[in-house]
Amino acid sequence: MSISQPTWKRRSRAATVILVSALCGGVGAAAYGSMAPESSTPLATTPTSEPAEAELAAFTDADTGSCLNWRPGENGSNSDFTTVGCAEQHRFEISAREDLSQYPTSEFDEDAEHPSLERQQQLTDELCVGPTLNYLNGKLDPEGRYTISPILPPASAWAEGDRTMLCGVMVQDAQGRSTETVGLAAESDQSRAFPADTCVQVINDSPVEVPCNEDHSWQVTDVVNLGEDFPQDWPDIDKQNEYLNQRCTEAARNYLGGDDALYNSTLTPFWTTIQSQSWAAGSRTVNCALTFGRPDGGFANLNGDVRQGFTIDGNPPAKQPPRNPLRNNAAAASPAPAAP
């Protein structure tokens, strides 16, 4: 099953792919040139009057199938922009190369200003989404960790007439900045899953890693590869829930030190699931976690490591009535349903 362009656009706007944050993410985003001072480039750690010609050539020569890396700097100023093999650490995988000077109108002629953020988003939808899906043979998880993004030349190169736009995919952090990854996206597990002990906050319907001493929605107790237990076709959500109910409840007990500890924490075992389109793109990894659901729906704000002192919406866990220790773990109460 492949992901259609309309489906990708609809789902990317709805949930996990935040294009605006991609455009605001520093050197990995098309917005850099329009946001940075004219004298700065994404290729230098400090503002300079002229960009480094060799590094600009590396940007200009980069083509489909190549991967790019750079050294992040402060205030969106970065250095060591290079083309690397995709088996190496990189921040951007190129899916298409566009020459905006050939755009059907004269919008990007020699006197044109850098496109606004709104125009960059339109160009991404128009010129990057389709070619990127084709480049990946449809294997792009619409709920996964990769984002379709563009790179435009820095402002100084744009002013000299460079109209190259590179389309591609990147993995972003909570601030929308590109992070290093290894391997081709189409050959990678694209799941938006986190290592055990990670604290995760849901921001604009998208889960992002945050320090545990900040408000968060859940804390990861285990990482599960569903492909090991379901090696063939996609297991529907009911099958995933049935399997993960047991797996994640046991993970919660082990994480906190037993069933009594879980009971007294007032927290609920929780897990993520994989939709069929994500499975078709090669995603197999989900998380088990601990969370607290509010009576009116949604996640309470946890603060602190759940294995130590922590609060729930600013208060310590409510004291639970005494009970006999649970002797038969299979008799534990069923946890909350999984995330959709």
Side-chain angles (χ1 to χ4, degrees):
M1 179 187 298
S2 63
I3 304 170
S4 68
Q5 182 168 340
T7 297
W8 172 261
K9 288 183 179 180
R10 181 172 63 252
R11 298 190 71 175
S12 67
R13 291 192 183 105
T16 59
V17 178
I18 312 296
L19 181 60
V20 172
S21 67
L23 295 173
C24 297
V27 63
Y32 179 86
S34 60
M35 297 174 65
E38 170 57 28
S39 60
S40 68
T41 82
L43 311 175
T45 56
T46 56
T48 58
S49 57
E50 295 293 336
E53 292 184 1
E55 290 177 328
L56 283 179
F59 173 87
T60 303
D61 294 341
D63 209 342
T64 302
S66 298
C67 287
L68 308 175
N69 207 354
W70 52 83
R71 188 190 304 277
E74 296 180 358
N75 302 320
S77 183
N78 303 274
S79 63
D80 299 338
F81 187 94
T82 56
T83 302
V84 299
C86 296
E88 302 177 38
Q89 294 276 0
H90 60 271
R91 299 178 186 274
F92 193 83
E93 180 179 345
I94 301 171
S95 60
R97 179 186 173 90
E98 300 289 342
D99 182 357
L100 294 181
S101 69
Q102 302 300 310
Y103 200 74
T105 69
S106 60
E107 179 181 358
F108 303 109
D109 61 19
E110 60 182 12
D111 297 321
E113 296 183 356
H114 231 272
S116 67
L117 291 179
E118 181 180 2
R119 185 65 180 119
Q120 289 169 36
Q121 180 170 346
Q122 294 169 352
L123 289 170
T124 301
D125 285 344
E126 179 181 349
L127 300 177
C128 290
V129 172
T132 300
L133 293 177
N134 289 335
Y135 167 77
L136 297 172
N137 295 317
K139 291 189 174 181
L140 185 60
D141 183 347
E143 298 181 350
R145 58 196 180 100
Y146 284 93
T147 300
I148 296 177
S149 304
I151 298 180
L152 288 177
S156 53
W158 180 275
E160 294 176 359
D162 190 347
R163 296 297 182 265
T164 304
M165 183 174 83
L166 300 179
C167 300
V169 291
M170 65 168 65
V171 177
Q172 298 172 284
D173 63 14
Q175 287 73 43
R177 298 171 303 196
S178 59
T179 62
E180 288 187 318
T181 187
V182 174
L184 294 167
E187 299 175 358
S188 301
D189 187 325
Q190 300 178 16
S191 306
R192 192 182 291 268
F194 302 90
D197 304 333
T198 302
C199 291
V200 178
Q201 177 70 304
V202 178
I203 300 175
N204 295 326
D205 295 324
S206 181
V208 295
E209 179 178 351
V210 297
C212 289
N213 61 2
E214 296 182 5
D215 285 349
H216 52 274
S217 304
W218 68 76
Q219 185 165 333
V220 177
T221 59
D222 197 8
V223 180
V224 181
N225 181 353
L226 289 177
E228 295 176 355
D229 287 271
F230 301 95
Q232 303 300 324
D233 297 334
W234 170 69
D236 63 30
I237 301 301
D238 287 342
K239 289 181 180 178
Q240 292 182 50
N241 284 340
E242 181 180 0
Y243 171 75
L244 292 169
N245 184 343
Q246 181 176 352
R247 175 73 179 262
C248 294
T249 300
E250 186 62 25
R253 294 191 189 106
N254 293 337
Y255 197 75
L256 293 178
D259 189 77
D260 281 346
L262 174 58
Y263 171 76
N264 289 319
S265 75
T266 72
L267 299 175
T268 303
F270 169 80
W271 54 87
T272 59
T273 56
I274 297 178
Q275 300 295 326
S276 60
Q277 285 192 324
S278 299
W279 189 273
S283 294
R284 298 291 185 271
T285 307
V286 298
N287 279 144
C288 295
L290 284 162
T291 191
F292 190 97
R294 291 174 176 152
D296 57 349
F299 299 105
N301 284 321
L302 307 181
N303 196 296
D305 190 319
V306 298
R307 295 164 296 183
Q308 303 170 15
F310 70 97
T311 59
I312 303 170
D313 281 338
N315 301 306
K319 188 173 180 59
Q320 296 294 87
R323 67 168 192 168
N324 293 325
L326 183 69
R327 298 183 183 277
N328 180 6
N329 283 345
S334 296

